[in-house]
Amino acid sequence: NAGVTQTPKFQVLKTGQSMTLQCAQDMNHEYMSWYRQDPGMGLRLIHYSVGAGITDQGEVPNGYNVSRSTTEDFPLRLLSAAPSQTSVYFCAVRGGVTDTQYFGPGTRLTVL
Amino acid sequence: AQSVTQLGSHVSVSEGALVLLRCNYSSSVPPYLFWYVQYPNQGLQLLLKYTSAATLVKGINGFEAEFKKSETSFHLTKPSAHMSDAAEYFCAVSKSGGSNYKLTFGKGTLLTVNP
């Protein structure tokens, strides 16, 4: 998990509230992505970015928004939180000579 | 399209016994294959990966996996389980050719190690 930080670690929201999950990297890699992890579902790709100014949708993008203004940061926005978005969210950074994806420590989100 | 099936959501072994976690994949192009481990309340850590070089891949903590194209499998093994191996293990697939932007994960296998 070296070089990938996520904040906050825990968050509780009420239905309809908005918030931004932060992801930052100091590895200077181009590709970043967001996954959500739900029990018995594995990890599912929400959005990804292949570089500053370029984003695209993954498998489960509805209800989430992203932007990539810098190489270092890739925030994930929930515009109007719903209980179905209760999950653990992981940011990942791909790069290096082995093209490995490195995961952050995660953000545990509960929507009441 | 790519998909991963992990056979067995929960595997229980005794300390010192063989660990075998099964993964079958489906991919329309030659795949890259990965095994990740997740310890409780932590992120995912890469155990090993197959990227079309040697079919037998050795990873960290004594784990290894063999890519079998004819069986579309990438099973994870360890000869002797330790208590510290207790964790959830995820198999994942991506496209080969340097474009592994999207990882498709299996649903995970929880490994329990009994003393």
Side-chain angles (χ1 to χ4, degrees):
Chain A
N1 293 347
V4 184
T5 59
Q6 291 184 239
T7 56
K9 287 190 175 181
F10 302 94
Q11 183 70 49
V12 179
L13 292 177
K14 295 181 180 179
T15 297
Q17 287 185 314
S18 63
M19 80 158 294
T20 300
L21 281 64
Q22 302 290 347
C23 175
Q25 56 128 338
D26 61 2
M27 297 185 286
N28 199 33
H29 293 325
E30 294 298 324
Y31 178 72
M32 299 181 73
S33 55
W34 278 101
Y35 293 84
R36 60 177 289 173
Q37 182 181 27
D38 302 292
M41 299 292 290
L43 279 79
R44 293 179 290 170
L45 182 65
I46 305 172
H47 284 286
Y48 66 98
S49 170
V50 299
I54 306 170
T55 64
D56 205 348
Q57 297 181 349
E59 181 184 355
V60 288
N62 293 339
Y64 306 95
N65 208 346
V66 292
S67 60
R68 184 92 177 272
S69 56
T70 67
T71 299
E72 294 77 19
D73 301 297
F74 189 43
L76 178 72
R77 298 182 184 85
L78 283 70
L79 301 177
S80 178
S84 60
Q85 294 177 304
T86 293
S87 187
V88 182
Y89 291 85
F90 289 100
C91 177
V93 176
R94 169 189 175 267
V97 293
T98 59
D99 285 338
T100 298
Q101 291 214 28
Y102 300 94
F103 285 80
T107 294
R108 186 174 296 273
L109 176 67
T110 301
V111 183
L112 304 175
Chain B
Q2 303 160 137
S3 66
V4 172
T5 302
Q6 291 185 240
L7 301 175
S9 60
H10 188 192
V11 170
S12 182
V13 301
S14 298
E15 192 173 20
L18 171 72
V19 175
L20 170 61
L21 304 181
R22 300 177 188 274
C23 172
N24 288 89
Y25 71 91
S26 172
S27 178
S28 57
V29 297
Y32 284 173
L33 292 158
F34 307 81
W35 276 100
Y36 283 86
V37 61
Q38 185 180 33
Y39 299 102
N41 299 314
Q42 294 189 25
L44 277 74
Q45 180 182 3
L46 181 69
L47 270 180
L48 50 81
K49 68 177 186 178
Y50 166 77
T51 55
S52 74
T55 57
L56 182 62
V57 182
K58 295 186 183 299
I60 61 172
N61 301 338
F63 284 93
E64 64 180 35
E66 186 172 9
F67 172 68
K68 292 188 177 180
K69 184 178 179 180
S70 61
E71 300 177 8
T72 62
S73 69
F74 190 58
H75 301 331
L76 182 71
T77 60
K78 182 174 181 177
S80 177
H82 294 172
M83 297 295 291
S84 60
D85 294 326
E88 191 157 23
Y89 292 79
F90 293 93
C91 182
V93 63
S94 74
K95 292 182 180 179
S96 61
S99 61
N100 73 339
Y101 297 130
K102 302 180 185 180
L103 282 174
T104 300
F105 284 86
K107 294 183 178 182
T109 297
L110 182 65
L111 176 67
T112 301
V113 182
N114 303 309

mmCIF file of all heavy atoms in Angstrom, chain A residues 46-68:
data_model
loop_
_atom_site.group_PDB
_atom_site.id
_atom_site.type_symbol
_atom_site.label_atom_id
_atom_site.label_comp_id
_atom_site.label_asym_id
_atom_site.label_seq_id
_atom_site.Cartn_x
_atom_site.Cartn_y
_atom_site.Cartn_z
ATOM 1 N N ILE A 46 -15.470 1.052 -10.246
ATOM 2 C CA ILE A 46 -16.434 2.142 -10.331
ATOM 3 C C ILE A 46 -16.059 3.096 -11.464
ATOM 4 O O ILE A 46 -16.834 3.313 -12.403
ATOM 5 C CB ILE A 46 -16.502 2.921 -9.003
ATOM 6 C CG1 ILE A 46 -16.811 1.987 -7.835
ATOM 7 C CG2 ILE A 46 -17.570 4.019 -9.088
ATOM 8 C CD1 ILE A 46 -16.695 2.661 -6.464
ATOM 9 N N HIS A 47 -14.907 3.715 -11.345
ATOM 10 C CA HIS A 47 -14.380 4.619 -12.365
ATOM 11 C C HIS A 47 -12.870 4.441 -12.424
ATOM 12 O O HIS A 47 -12.255 3.995 -11.455
ATOM 13 C CB HIS A 47 -14.680 6.082 -12.018
ATOM 14 C CG HIS A 47 -16.079 6.521 -12.246
ATOM 15 N ND1 HIS A 47 -16.608 6.746 -13.488
ATOM 16 C CD2 HIS A 47 -17.071 6.789 -11.353
ATOM 17 C CE1 HIS A 47 -17.863 7.148 -13.375
ATOM 18 N NE2 HIS A 47 -18.168 7.176 -12.091
ATOM 19 N N TYR A 48 -12.286 4.857 -13.550
ATOM 20 C CA TYR A 48 -10.840 4.831 -13.650
ATOM 21 C C TYR A 48 -10.349 6.008 -14.477
ATOM 22 O O TYR A 48 -11.137 6.668 -15.175
ATOM 23 C CB TYR A 48 -10.336 3.505 -14.229
ATOM 24 C CG TYR A 48 -10.728 3.245 -15.659
ATOM 25 C CD1 TYR A 48 -9.845 3.506 -16.700
ATOM 26 C CD2 TYR A 48 -11.964 2.684 -15.974
ATOM 27 C CE1 TYR A 48 -10.195 3.252 -18.013
ATOM 28 C CE2 TYR A 48 -12.329 2.432 -17.279
ATOM 29 C CZ TYR A 48 -11.442 2.715 -18.293
ATOM 30 O OH TYR A 48 -11.799 2.457 -19.602
ATOM 31 N N SER A 49 -9.049 6.251 -14.375
ATOM 32 C CA SER A 49 -8.434 7.369 -15.099
ATOM 33 C C SER A 49 -7.063 6.933 -15.606
ATOM 34 O O SER A 49 -6.282 6.367 -14.854
ATOM 35 C CB SER A 49 -8.290 8.570 -14.172
ATOM 36 O OG SER A 49 -7.493 9.570 -14.768
ATOM 37 N N VAL A 50 -6.801 7.207 -16.878
ATOM 38 C CA VAL A 50 -5.511 6.845 -17.448
ATOM 39 C C VAL A 50 -4.547 8.027 -17.459
ATOM 40 O O VAL A 50 -3.436 7.912 -17.988
ATOM 41 C CB VAL A 50 -5.667 6.263 -18.866
ATOM 42 C CG1 VAL A 50 -6.508 4.992 -18.817
ATOM 43 C CG2 VAL A 50 -6.274 7.278 -19.814
ATOM 44 N N GLY A 51 -4.964 9.144 -16.876
ATOM 45 C CA GLY A 51 -4.091 10.300 -16.770
ATOM 46 C C GLY A 51 -4.901 11.536 -16.446
ATOM 47 O O GLY A 51 -6.148 11.517 -16.491
ATOM 48 N N ALA A 52 -4.206 12.604 -16.133
ATOM 49 C CA ALA A 52 -4.884 13.856 -15.787
ATOM 50 C C ALA A 52 -5.794 14.287 -16.930
ATOM 51 O O ALA A 52 -5.398 14.292 -18.101
ATOM 52 C CB ALA A 52 -3.851 14.934 -15.488
ATOM 53 N N GLY A 53 -7.039 14.615 -16.566
ATOM 54 C CA GLY A 53 -8.019 15.064 -17.532
ATOM 55 C C GLY A 53 -8.777 13.981 -18.245
ATOM 56 O O GLY A 53 -9.681 14.255 -19.052
ATOM 57 N N ILE A 54 -8.461 12.697 -17.948
ATOM 58 C CA ILE A 54 -9.095 11.575 -18.655
ATOM 59 C C ILE A 54 -9.691 10.615 -17.640
ATOM 60 O O ILE A 54 -8.965 10.069 -16.797
ATOM 61 C CB ILE A 54 -8.077 10.818 -19.519
ATOM 62 C CG1 ILE A 54 -7.353 11.766 -20.467
ATOM 63 C CG2 ILE A 54 -8.784 9.704 -20.308
ATOM 64 C CD1 ILE A 54 -6.166 11.128 -21.166
ATOM 65 N N THR A 55 -11.002 10.437 -17.702
ATOM 66 C CA THR A 55 -11.662 9.468 -16.835
ATOM 67 C C THR A 55 -12.644 8.639 -17.650
ATOM 68 O O THR A 55 -13.072 9.057 -18.737
ATOM 69 C CB THR A 55 -12.420 10.151 -15.680
ATOM 70 O OG1 THR A 55 -13.476 10.951 -16.224
ATOM 71 C CG2 THR A 55 -11.492 11.022 -14.844
ATOM 72 N N ASP A 56 -13.008 7.491 -17.114
ATOM 73 C CA ASP A 56 -13.975 6.641 -17.796
ATOM 74 C C ASP A 56 -14.693 5.787 -16.759
ATOM 75 O O ASP A 56 -14.244 5.642 -15.623
ATOM 76 C CB ASP A 56 -13.292 5.756 -18.832
ATOM 77 C CG ASP A 56 -14.248 5.330 -19.943
ATOM 78 O OD1 ASP A 56 -15.483 5.519 -19.797
ATOM 79 O OD2 ASP A 56 -13.765 4.799 -20.956
ATOM 80 N N GLN A 57 -15.830 5.242 -17.183
ATOM 81 C CA GLN A 57 -16.659 4.460 -16.282
ATOM 82 C C GLN A 57 -16.202 3.018 -16.220
ATOM 83 O O GLN A 57 -15.716 2.450 -17.194
ATOM 84 C CB GLN A 57 -18.112 4.499 -16.755
ATOM 85 C CG GLN A 57 -18.729 5.882 -16.729
ATOM 86 C CD GLN A 57 -20.175 5.864 -17.191
ATOM 87 O OE1 GLN A 57 -20.650 4.859 -17.711
ATOM 88 N NE2 GLN A 57 -20.869 6.959 -17.010
ATOM 89 N N GLY A 58 -16.407 2.439 -15.045
ATOM 90 C CA GLY A 58 -16.155 1.021 -14.883
ATOM 91 C C GLY A 58 -17.445 0.243 -14.885
ATOM 92 O O GLY A 58 -18.386 0.581 -15.586
ATOM 93 N N GLU A 59 -17.489 -0.764 -14.052
ATOM 94 C CA GLU A 59 -18.623 -1.696 -14.022
ATOM 95 C C GLU A 59 -19.846 -1.123 -13.310
ATOM 96 O O GLU A 59 -20.983 -1.374 -13.712
ATOM 97 C CB GLU A 59 -18.174 -2.984 -13.331
ATOM 98 C CG GLU A 59 -19.219 -4.077 -13.229
ATOM 99 C CD GLU A 59 -18.706 -5.275 -12.432
ATOM 100 O OE1 GLU A 59 -17.519 -5.277 -12.048
ATOM 101 O OE2 GLU A 59 -19.506 -6.198 -12.189
ATOM 102 N N VAL A 60 -19.630 -0.342 -12.249
ATOM 103 C CA VAL A 60 -20.733 0.163 -11.429
ATOM 104 C C VAL A 60 -20.602 1.666 -11.186
ATOM 105 O O VAL A 60 -20.409 2.112 -10.067
ATOM 106 C CB VAL A 60 -20.823 -0.604 -10.086
ATOM 107 C CG1 VAL A 60 -21.335 -2.022 -10.291
ATOM 108 C CG2 VAL A 60 -19.469 -0.622 -9.364
ATOM 109 N N PRO A 61 -20.757 2.500 -12.215
ATOM 110 C CA PRO A 61 -20.488 3.937 -12.059
ATOM 111 C C PRO A 61 -21.652 4.776 -11.539
ATOM 112 O O PRO A 61 -21.436 5.918 -11.102
ATOM 113 C CB PRO A 61 -20.180 4.351 -13.500
ATOM 114 C CG PRO A 61 -21.045 3.437 -14.329
ATOM 115 C CD PRO A 61 -21.026 2.116 -13.597
ATOM 116 N N ASN A 62 -22.869 4.223 -11.543
ATOM 117 C CA ASN A 62 -24.036 5.045 -11.218
ATOM 118 C C ASN A 62 -23.992 5.548 -9.790
ATOM 119 O O ASN A 62 -23.765 4.788 -8.855
ATOM 120 C CB ASN A 62 -25.323 4.256 -11.466
ATOM 121 C CG ASN A 62 -25.533 3.969 -12.935
ATOM 122 O OD1 ASN A 62 -24.979 4.651 -13.792
ATOM 123 N ND2 ASN A 62 -26.329 2.962 -13.236
ATOM 124 N N GLY A 63 -24.228 6.862 -9.631
ATOM 125 C CA GLY A 63 -24.243 7.473 -8.309
ATOM 126 C C GLY A 63 -22.899 8.036 -7.887
ATOM 127 O O GLY A 63 -22.797 8.608 -6.795
ATOM 128 N N TYR A 64 -21.905 7.884 -8.748
ATOM 129 C CA TYR A 64 -20.553 8.350 -8.430
ATOM 130 C C TYR A 64 -20.039 9.259 -9.540
ATOM 131 O O TYR A 64 -20.351 9.071 -10.709
ATOM 132 C CB TYR A 64 -19.587 7.183 -8.289
ATOM 133 C CG TYR A 64 -20.007 6.116 -7.324
ATOM 134 C CD1 TYR A 64 -20.684 4.983 -7.761
ATOM 135 C CD2 TYR A 64 -19.738 6.237 -5.971
ATOM 136 C CE1 TYR A 64 -21.083 3.996 -6.881
ATOM 137 C CE2 TYR A 64 -20.124 5.242 -5.076
ATOM 138 C CZ TYR A 64 -20.793 4.133 -5.547
ATOM 139 O OH TYR A 64 -21.179 3.163 -4.671
ATOM 140 N N ASN A 65 -19.222 10.220 -9.120
ATOM 141 C CA ASN A 65 -18.624 11.149 -10.058
ATOM 142 C C ASN A 65 -17.131 11.244 -9.762
ATOM 143 O O ASN A 65 -16.714 11.171 -8.597
ATOM 144 C CB ASN A 65 -19.265 12.534 -9.888
ATOM 145 C CG ASN A 65 -19.237 13.321 -11.163
ATOM 146 O OD1 ASN A 65 -18.541 12.969 -12.100
ATOM 147 N ND2 ASN A 65 -20.007 14.391 -11.195
ATOM 148 N N VAL A 66 -16.320 11.413 -10.817
ATOM 149 C CA VAL A 66 -14.877 11.555 -10.629
ATOM 150 C C VAL A 66 -14.354 12.647 -11.542
ATOM 151 O O VAL A 66 -14.983 13.016 -12.544
ATOM 152 C CB VAL A 66 -14.107 10.254 -10.925
ATOM 153 C CG1 VAL A 66 -14.410 9.174 -9.897
ATOM 154 C CG2 VAL A 66 -14.371 9.765 -12.338
ATOM 155 N N SER A 67 -13.184 13.148 -11.182
ATOM 156 C CA SER A 67 -12.429 14.057 -12.035
ATOM 157 C C SER A 67 -10.958 13.830 -11.740
ATOM 158 O O SER A 67 -10.602 13.287 -10.690
ATOM 159 C CB SER A 67 -12.827 15.510 -11.771
ATOM 160 O OG SER A 67 -12.569 15.852 -10.430
ATOM 161 N N ARG A 68 -10.103 14.224 -12.645
ATOM 162 C CA ARG A 68 -8.657 14.031 -12.456
ATOM 163 C C ARG A 68 -7.951 15.270 -12.974
ATOM 164 O O ARG A 68 -7.629 15.391 -14.146
ATOM 165 C CB ARG A 68 -8.207 12.793 -13.245
ATOM 166 C CG ARG A 68 -6.733 12.458 -13.044
ATOM 167 C CD ARG A 68 -6.505 11.500 -11.938
ATOM 168 N NE ARG A 68 -5.114 11.132 -11.791
ATOM 169 C CZ ARG A 68 -4.505 10.133 -12.424
ATOM 170 N NH1 ARG A 68 -5.196 9.400 -13.310
ATOM 171 N NH2 ARG A 68 -3.236 9.865 -12.194
#
